[in-house]
Amino acid sequence: MTDPHAIQPSALDQLPDRDPEETAEWQASLDAVAQAAGPHRAAYLMRRTLERAEGNGIALPKLLETDYVNTIPTAAEPATPGDEAMEARITAWNRWNAAAMVTRGAKHGVGGHIATFASAAWLYETGFNHFFQGKEADGSGDQLYIQGHASPGIYARAFLDGRLNEGHLDNFRQEAGGNGLPSYPHPRRLPWLWEFPTVSMGLGPLSAIYQARFNRYLTNRGIKDVSASHVWAFLGDGEMDEPESTAALALAAREELDNLTFVINCNLQRLDGPVRANFKIVQELEAQFRGAGWNVVKTLWGSAWDELFRLDTTGALVRRLRQVPDAQVQTYQTRDAAYIRRDFFGADPALVEMAKLLSDDKILECFHLSRGGHEARKVYAAYKAAVEHKGAPTVILAQTVKGHTLGEGFASKNANHQMKKLSVDEFKAMRDLLELPISDSRFVDGVVPYGHPGADSPEVRYLQERRAALGGPAPARRTHALAPLPAPAEKAFAAFDKGSGSQNVATTMAFVRLVKDLVRDKETGKRWVPIVPDEARTFGMESLFPSLGIYSPKGQTYEPVDRDQLMYYKEAKNGQILNEGITEAGSMADFIAASTAYATHGEAMIPFYIFYSMFGWQRTADQMWQLGDQLGRGFLVGATAGRTTLTGEGLQHADGHSPVIAATNPAALTYDPAFAYEIGVIVKDGLRRMYGETAPDEDPNVFYYLTVYNEPMPQPAKPAGPGIDEGIVKGLYRFNTAESAGLSPVANAPRIQLLGSGTAIHWTLKAQKMLAEEWGVAADVWSATSWTELRRDALEADAALLRGEERLPYVRQALQGAEGPVLAVSDYMRQVPDQIAQWVEQDYSSLGADGFGLSDTRDAARRHFGVDAESIVVAALAQLARRGEVRATAVKEARERYGL
């Protein structure tokens, strides 16, 4: 079989050989070694030669895999600066309390995870004692992405540190009554402790990369020097199966993010069994990360293996370790010495001889217990190598045993992810193993006790001294007492109040024009972070390229092809725009990092991320939840919105549902503005709420989703009169009446209220005119800027009524006294306007674009979905006919007249 990794003759033939005789001599030497000493020796020499070449800067393809051994040999490990015995006692207490917390919670049926932290305890403890910088120095410190299932261990350490008490631990996963601990890292539920929500698999590593990148962005733009901050992402080897986990590896290497370290806990298990049963996940990950340009540090074997490697004079042990699949390694963890002698050592005569020199106890110590991720000195060496490496991010592949120290019933068992408790006897065995001073008498009625050495114990003093030296507690989230950002000049927001006159302007362009004015503001302009996924020209943003610059840590090392044009493609080290290429997930990760800078770094940034509305919530709704969990603030802008405004692109681009998905997110304030002046009012109020003077009953930790359209339309002037701005913000206001629109229906004409949102307002206005002129019907037109906010206000009013408070929903207040039925229209599925149906006192019906999109003209698409002006007229007449206010035959006549 041809080696797929070998250089094929066809490729070699293209390389000129200046000295074929010398080449032949090298090849003959290799053949001679292979014949005399065997192919393994030849391979060894080749690997060492390639390593030497790489070390000398000779341009050769890098080795993607190294042997299945530690990158840093024992002899090269630096001494740890701390008290290893003291740290071992601290780790023992943390292991105990993490297991106790989950076990006690199991009595209430709330679940929890024990085995993950048991495997990763030293990975965290070493960082907390020697590496993780706190926030009490410059306010930023390091950013820690904690593996979600390891949260009990982090709570246990906070308990030892005095930041949590037994009451907190007893409320693990029991938050409804207050004073509870969320199951996983969750800033919205425990905002003084957690910075980053990480349990949605794959989003942690993706977010960590973009957080490290945003740190560089802040520094390079001169906003704040956070070059001392390091991003640590603790991940599971099973989690790396998620495509998001590895989606941005090349970005991290390309931008040389040496302020980033991944620590992958390679316990070889995922939720149901081995991560790579028939293969080796460590080797796979090493090749993947090396190929992407990362520095890789493997910390696989503990010090008990040193004797075995010294005995391996032929390389047979190293070869065997590369051969054994992960599932078999897991099996060795649970089998006796005789099995391991037979299956592992029996595979090679040289290993058979080696095994004769090893006692059963030594074999069991190596195969059952000794892993690099369980030894402080080896973890310290890996971390030190990571933070000292320059020019590339580092991944540490730390091999551990899932369920380590929890007893034979847990260690390496396939089911240990679902095992939520230990028995009293198992706890006592664990106590003896960890040498904890917890007496049998403390187990009362079968309840396992928490353990604490005392607030003034040597362990607690040591822990607190180490954290003080590193800048304070960790993990920790700080909401800095930031002064409200000054409001930008009113001129920017009022630019469209007079309308666009005869000029047709799409609301997408109106938003971009507004941002262009806002980024020029002397006080807050530098804090805007424009984010776009390689569609800036689609949204009319190319004019921002030369003025703001596109961020690149390399600046611009080439002459752009359009340099002689006014709006040329300008990259700059201090560029303000984040143009992410074709990655909505990467753009959202950028947005999250920017939107939470007010807490992470004490710097309020104002991100706006503009995207095809179809490719935002539909693709990355999980990250929108992450954004809400992380208390992010900013503006998401769904451009080219609606099901019928981009119809030439067809079904896959036709968004008829993003407001439905957005409505499910409690942190998202969703608006569908119809006119340019509405955008100004909404953005102005958003800046006030998120960054300025927030009202006492308002939560600033929200983000805004605005849908804007690519259809150029006349932009009317802002109506005069009181309450317009309030209505725009709350979600509904009367744009005009039939009379104010200059229409003159007959006296006592039947009347209907037409509610339209977004681009549908224009069809509604046309229908208003047709109803008056052709059918003698008076229609008032309302702009529904936010169906979702109207619904939320109504739900809050309902809840208030149940508390005995009198409160009327705003939608009912606004429509109070409005004559006739209500017909609501949008460019989305009917579910969007139907959100308010139950709170409208008048007869209510709706029109929307349900079903799949299609390619055609806008007019044809709107006729297809039954939302064009003619369809609105027919629906309005049908409502009035049911009430007996127009003749029944009018509906049929209208259908025939309009060809419906």
Side-chain angles (χ1 to χ4, degrees):
M1 180 181 293
T2 302
D3 181 358
H5 302 293
I7 299 177
Q8 300 304 311
S10 58
L12 288 174
D13 289 344
Q14 299 179 51
L15 304 176
D17 191 342
R18 295 187 307 173
D19 192 340
E21 186 175 345
E22 181 184 36
T23 303
E25 290 175 357
W26 277 80
Q27 292 172 336
S29 297
L30 182 63
D31 292 342
V33 171
Q35 292 169 6
H40 299 302
R41 177 62 180 170
Y44 176 85
L45 291 176
M46 287 300 300
R47 287 199 301 272
R48 292 295 176 264
T49 301
L50 287 172
E51 289 171 0
R52 174 61 63 89
E54 183 178 343
N56 289 338
I58 298 173
L60 283 173
K62 293 182 179 180
L63 288 171
L64 294 185
E65 289 185 32
T66 60
D67 287 325
Y68 202 68
V69 296
N70 295 348
T71 302
I72 304 171
T74 299
E77 292 170 358
T80 56
D83 184 334
E84 287 189 40
M86 182 67 72
E87 292 173 19
R89 292 202 294 275
I90 292 171
T91 305
W93 285 115
N94 292 341
R95 289 180 183 279
W96 176 272
N97 287 320
M101 179 194 328
V102 176
T103 298
R104 289 167 68 128
K107 294 181 179 296
H108 304 287
V110 295
H113 302 286
I114 304 176
T116 293
F117 178 73
S119 68
W122 274 113
L123 302 180
Y124 291 106
E125 193 59 36
T126 302
F128 284 130
N129 287 323
H130 302 290
F131 292 94
F132 303 158
Q133 297 294 319
K135 296 182 173 295
E136 294 179 357
D138 66 355
S140 292
D142 288 353
Q143 287 81 57
L144 308 181
Y145 287 78
I146 304 294
Q147 192 178 359
H149 293 154
S151 62
I154 308 304
Y155 291 141
R157 197 174 199 276
F159 169 63
L160 207 65
D161 193 15
R163 294 199 288 164
L164 296 175
N165 56 42
E166 289 193 11
H168 290 112
L169 301 193
D170 269 344
N171 281 326
F172 175 61
R173 292 192 169 198
Q174 299 173 72
E175 301 177 80
N179 205 37
L181 299 180
S183 51
Y184 303 121
H186 207 308
R188 187 168 287 276
R189 289 298 182 211
L190 203 61
W192 60 268
L193 181 73
W194 298 119
E195 277 197 285
F196 308 107
T198 55
V199 81
S200 190
M201 297 296 176
L203 298 191
L206 179 69
S207 296
I209 289 173
Y210 281 89
Q211 181 65 58
R213 181 174 187 254
F214 191 74
N215 289 357
R216 291 279 172 85
Y217 173 89
L218 287 177
T219 300
N220 288 337
R221 286 199 55 219
I223 302 293
K224 181 180 181 181
D225 185 357
V226 295
S227 55
S229 290
H230 200 87
V231 178
W232 299 82
F234 289 84
L235 315 167
D237 48 358
E239 181 178 5
M240 302 311 292
D241 284 348
E242 288 283 4
E244 294 87 354
S245 294
T246 55
L249 297 187
L251 167 71
R254 184 168 65 244
E255 300 204 358
E256 300 178 357
L257 298 180
D258 49 27
N259 60 339
L260 170 68
T261 297
F262 277 15
V263 182
I264 303 182
N265 178 14
C266 297
N267 56 36
L268 314 185
Q269 287 183 254
R270 53 188 175 198
L271 307 190
D272 287 333
V275 178
R276 293 290 183 272
N278 296 298
F279 307 94
K280 301 190 78 64
I281 185 60
V282 168
Q283 299 300 92
E284 179 182 318
L285 291 175
E286 179 184 27
Q288 193 169 14
F289 278 86
R290 282 190 189 278
W294 286 53
N295 176 46
V296 179
V297 178
K298 295 197 302 194
T299 303
L300 308 180
W301 307 111
S303 55
W305 283 82
D306 289 348
E307 179 182 345
L308 277 67
F309 288 124
R310 283 194 298 270
L311 294 172
D312 185 29
T313 58
T314 66
L317 175 63
V318 173
R319 290 196 298 273
R320 182 65 176 141
L321 289 174
R322 283 179 63 91
Q323 295 168 356
V324 177
D326 284 352
Q328 192 64 19
V329 173
Q330 184 179 339
T331 297
Y332 293 149
Q333 176 71 33
T334 64
R335 297 300 180 90
D336 60 18
Y339 178 88
I340 297 171
R341 286 182 186 276
R342 181 174 64 255
D343 190 87
F344 181 84
F345 291 96
D348 188 296
L351 294 180
V352 172
E353 293 304 312
M354 178 189 293
K356 293 177 181 178
L357 304 175
L358 304 174
S359 67
D360 284 356
D361 287 344
K362 182 65 176 179
I363 288 175
L364 293 178
E365 179 187 14
C366 289
F367 284 83
H368 283 196
L369 302 173
S370 187
R371 300 291 186 273
H374 295 323
E375 294 190 12
R377 180 166 176 161
K378 296 191 180 297
V379 175
Y380 178 85
Y383 286 7
K384 189 171 188 292
V387 298
E388 292 178 354
H389 185 82
K390 300 303 177 185
T394 294
V395 59
I396 296 168
L397 303 174
Q399 188 159 274
T400 66
V401 174
K402 193 168 185 178
H404 184 57
T405 74
L406 297 180
E408 293 183 0
F410 261 87
S412 285
K413 295 298 175 65
N414 282 339
N416 60 21
H417 181 78
Q418 303 301 327
M419 297 161 68
K420 311 299 183 185
K421 59 184 178 180
L422 278 70
S423 68
V424 169
D425 288 342
E426 287 172 324
F427 266 108
K428 290 179 178 178
M430 181 182 175
R431 170 201 62 189
D432 296 341
L433 175 66
L434 298 176
E435 298 181 347
L436 291 173
I438 300 174
S439 65
D440 287 353
S441 62
R442 294 191 58 196
F443 291 82
V444 179
D445 296 328
V447 177
V448 59
Y450 296 119
H452 200 293
D456 196 39
S457 63
E459 294 93 331
V460 173
R461 289 201 306 272
Y462 180 89
L463 181 157
Q464 293 176 340
E465 288 168 2
R466 292 306 308 140
R467 288 312 315 155
L470 289 167
R477 181 180 184 273
R478 296 284 185 267
T479 302
H480 305 266
L482 300 178
L485 292 183
E490 182 66 26
K491 181 181 178 181
F493 302 110
F496 283 100
D497 283 1
K498 294 182 180 180
S500 63
S502 60
Q503 182 183 11
N504 288 338
V505 177
T507 52
T508 297
M509 184 55 65
F511 179 85
V512 172
R513 287 186 187 179
L514 174 62
V515 170
K516 285 177 64 176
D517 290 339
L518 293 175
V519 296
R520 294 192 187 105
D521 185 84
K522 292 182 180 180
E523 296 290 335
T524 60
K526 68 179 182 179
R527 297 192 176 275
W528 283 86
V529 183
I531 303 168
V532 60
D534 200 36
E535 287 279 6
R537 298 181 192 278
T538 300
F539 307 135
M541 290 175 58
E542 66 269 28
S543 61
L544 298 178
F545 288 170
S547 58
L548 300 184
I550 300 164
Y551 172 73
S552 170
K554 298 289 187 182
Q556 193 154 35
T557 61
Y558 61 92
E559 183 176 353
V561 67
D562 54 359
R563 182 64 180 85
D564 58 343
Q565 298 179 15
L566 181 63
M567 293 182 287
Y568 69 97
Y569 196 81
K570 177 186 175 183
E571 295 188 81
K573 190 172 183 179
N574 64 346
Q576 193 164 348
I577 301 170
L578 291 172
N579 191 315
E580 285 309 333
I582 305 175
T583 167
E584 287 84 4
S587 299
M588 268 307 303
D590 259 337
F591 187 91
I592 292 169
S595 71
T596 54
Y598 73 93
T600 309
H601 296 298
E603 295 288 343
M605 305 300 288
I606 311 171
F608 81 88
Y609 164 33
I610 188 167
F611 50 88
Y612 269 97
S613 64
M614 184 67 168
F615 305 143
W617 288 87
Q618 177 164 298
R619 288 193 178 180
T620 58
D622 196 12
Q623 287 178 286
M624 273 72 163
W625 272 102
Q626 182 188 12
L627 169 64
D629 290 347
Q630 204 166 313
L631 309 177
R633 305 170 183 174
F635 297 95
L636 296 176
V637 183
T640 60
R643 182 146 279 164
T644 70
T645 61
L646 195 67
T647 53
E649 298 284 356
L651 183 154
Q652 292 177 327
H653 287 62
D655 170 26
H657 53 279
S658 69
V660 178
I661 307 174
T664 66
N665 191 313
L669 276 61
T670 303
Y671 287 90
D672 187 25
F675 305 124
Y677 66 80
E678 293 177 352
I679 293 173
V681 171
I682 294 165
V683 171
K684 178 182 177 181
D685 192 69
L687 290 173
R688 176 200 62 79
R689 176 168 177 172
M690 295 185 291
Y691 301 98
E693 297 289 349
T694 304
D697 60 341
E698 288 180 320
D699 180 6
N701 298 315
V702 295
F703 60 92
Y704 283 63
Y705 176 53
L706 280 72
T707 49
V708 293
Y709 299 84
N710 68 320
E711 185 175 11
M713 298 294 288
Q715 295 297 325
K718 184 177 178 181
I724 299 297
D725 285 9
E726 179 189 22
I728 291 172
V729 172
K730 287 191 173 183
L732 183 68
Y733 69 98
R734 182 155 47 196
F735 175 72
N736 69 17
T737 63
E739 291 75 15
S740 67
L743 304 172
S744 302
V746 297
N748 300 318
R751 188 171 290 268
I752 189 169
Q753 308 299 318
L754 302 179
L755 279 56
S757 70
T759 196
I761 200 80
H762 299 287
W763 327 325
T764 307
L765 289 168
K766 182 180 177 182
Q768 178 191 40
K769 188 170 186 290
M770 294 170 65
L771 283 167
E773 294 178 351
E774 300 179 27
W775 303 98
V777 172
D780 300 337
V781 173
W782 300 70
S783 179
T785 53
S786 180
W787 310 101
T788 301
E789 287 306 295
L790 291 173
R791 175 180 175 81
R792 287 176 178 170
D793 172 81
L795 289 171
E796 290 173 5
D798 286 355
L801 285 173
L802 294 177
R803 296 192 300 267
E805 304 170 16
E806 289 294 328
R807 181 177 164 190
L808 201 62
Y810 174 79
V811 64
R812 187 165 293 175
Q813 294 178 46
L815 291 172
Q816 201 165 42
E819 298 177 32
V822 169
L823 175 60
V825 188
S826 84
D827 202 19
Y828 299 94
M829 56 197 304
R830 290 177 60 183
Q831 188 174 339
V832 175
D834 283 353
Q835 290 181 86
I836 66 169
Q838 71 187 81
W839 292 281
V840 176
E841 289 184 312
Q842 294 89 341
D843 293 340
Y844 185 91
S845 66
S846 64
L847 295 176
D850 285 77
F852 289 109
L854 76 170
S855 296
D856 212 311
T857 64
R858 290 179 178 128
D859 289 343
R862 287 162 188 165
R863 176 58 57 90
H864 170 82
F865 286 111
V867 294
D868 59 354
E870 290 80 2
S871 298
I872 294 172
V873 169
V874 171
L877 293 175
Q879 275 188 285
L880 293 169
R882 284 193 293 270
R883 295 161 58 94
E885 296 181 20
V886 300
R887 64 187 190 281
T889 57
V891 179
K892 180 181 179 183
E893 181 183 340
R895 283 201 304 267
E896 292 174 349
R897 180 183 301 183
Y898 303 135
L900 298 180

